[in-house]
Amino acid sequence: DLRQAVKKLREREKDWLGVAAIFAEEFFEQPALETFEKLASAANRAGVWPAVRECAMHYLQTGKIPKEGRSEDGNLAAWPLPSCRYLEIKEPRRSELPMTSILIDIAIAEKQPSEVLRWYDSSQQKTAWWEPTYQDDRVARAIAEQYPARAPDIWKKAAETEIAQTKPSAYATAGEYLRKMRRVLESNGRGQEWLEYSTSLKQTHA
């Protein structure tokens, strides 16, 4: 409540740096696409988004919370926002880094398929191959145009994970993934590959 009250006061005073600082604190407390986009909007209004974005992305990769007016990394932009200290924000555990799910969400929102694929591949190093991720379908859709060789493999993995559950709702979800996979394969001259795969799938999962 205090933060919201201070935020309103700063907005009334057109203290956009102060407003952005509060949104930054909320982002570091709960890193997510939603808090990242709110921070982006506020920092853009304050005219400091490039530096803030660089530091925020560095945080998602390293867990290092930027400090006011300086950078511990000489290659990193200085943090341009004042400190708020309404919250005691703790650095994330090393095992949580990099925060690939959030980095993937940001790359999808910013329409950067190469970054989507980069962070997806990074996430797979921490995930067993049979484990589904809630982002598989969104990742495949985001990269399908630029990386048509990779997207079908992601849908294939997602579909087979659903099929392995052997229940009607999972089969329906798998069907959605397989239809998307088929469209990309056929539109890239790989129709025969689809026919052979679908035949094999029907034989394996009668």
Side-chain angles (χ1 to χ4, degrees):
D1 289 343
L2 174 60
R3 276 188 295 163
Q4 295 306 314
V6 172
K7 189 188 299 178
K8 289 179 181 178
L9 286 171
R10 290 180 176 178
E11 287 172 347
R12 192 178 305 161
E13 296 167 354
K14 302 189 186 309
D15 175 11
W16 304 122
L17 285 173
V19 172
I22 294 178
F23 277 111
E25 189 174 71
E26 292 173 354
F27 166 73
F28 293 125
E29 179 193 19
Q30 288 188 311
L33 177 61
E34 181 183 2
T35 53
F36 180 84
E37 290 181 332
K38 288 179 178 179
L39 172 58
S41 178
N44 263 316
R45 196 162 192 177
V48 293
W49 175 233
V52 170
R53 183 188 185 282
E54 185 178 342
C55 293
M57 295 296 284
H58 185 71
Y59 164 74
L60 292 174
Q61 296 173 54
T62 67
K64 299 296 183 183
I65 298 171
K67 297 180 181 178
E68 183 180 1
R70 67 187 180 91
S71 170
E72 296 177 356
D73 184 341
N75 298 317
L76 189 66
W79 183 245
L81 301 177
S83 297
C84 291
R85 298 191 180 89
Y86 291 114
L87 295 168
E88 288 294 329
I89 300 170
K90 297 179 180 178
E91 291 188 354
R93 294 189 296 272
R94 185 174 293 276
S95 61
E96 297 172 342
L97 300 170
M99 302 182 199
T100 51
S101 64
I102 304 168
L103 289 162
I104 289 170
D105 284 341
I106 291 171
I108 291 174
E110 294 182 345
K111 295 181 171 56
Q112 298 183 35
S114 61
E115 287 296 287
V116 174
L117 191 55
R118 173 193 174 195
W119 293 118
Y120 177 78
D121 285 341
S122 178
S123 73
Q124 296 307 290
Q125 296 174 14
K126 300 186 290 184
T127 306
W129 70 268
W130 64 84
E131 291 183 39
T133 73
Y134 72 94
Q135 293 173 308
D136 281 350
D137 180 45
R138 293 176 58 239
V139 166
R141 284 187 283 119
I143 69 169
E145 184 174 346
Q146 189 165 329
Y147 298 96
R150 287 294 310 276
D153 291 338
I154 296 173
W155 276 314
K156 177 181 177 181
K157 172 200 166 192
E160 292 181 357
T161 301
E162 293 292 330
I163 290 170
Q165 296 183 47
T166 61
K167 59 183 182 181
S169 61
Y171 292 145
T173 301
E176 293 175 11
Y177 298 154
L178 292 171
R179 280 188 286 274
K180 293 171 184 177
M181 175 184 173
R182 176 181 182 177
R183 281 196 295 270
V184 172
L185 288 174
E186 291 182 341
S187 65
N188 285 275
R190 298 166 64 188
Q192 184 60 34
E193 183 179 335
W194 162 254
L195 289 174
E196 291 173 358
Y197 174 68
S198 61
T199 300
S200 171
L201 198 63
K202 291 171 185 176
Q203 291 172 347
T204 305
H205 303 279

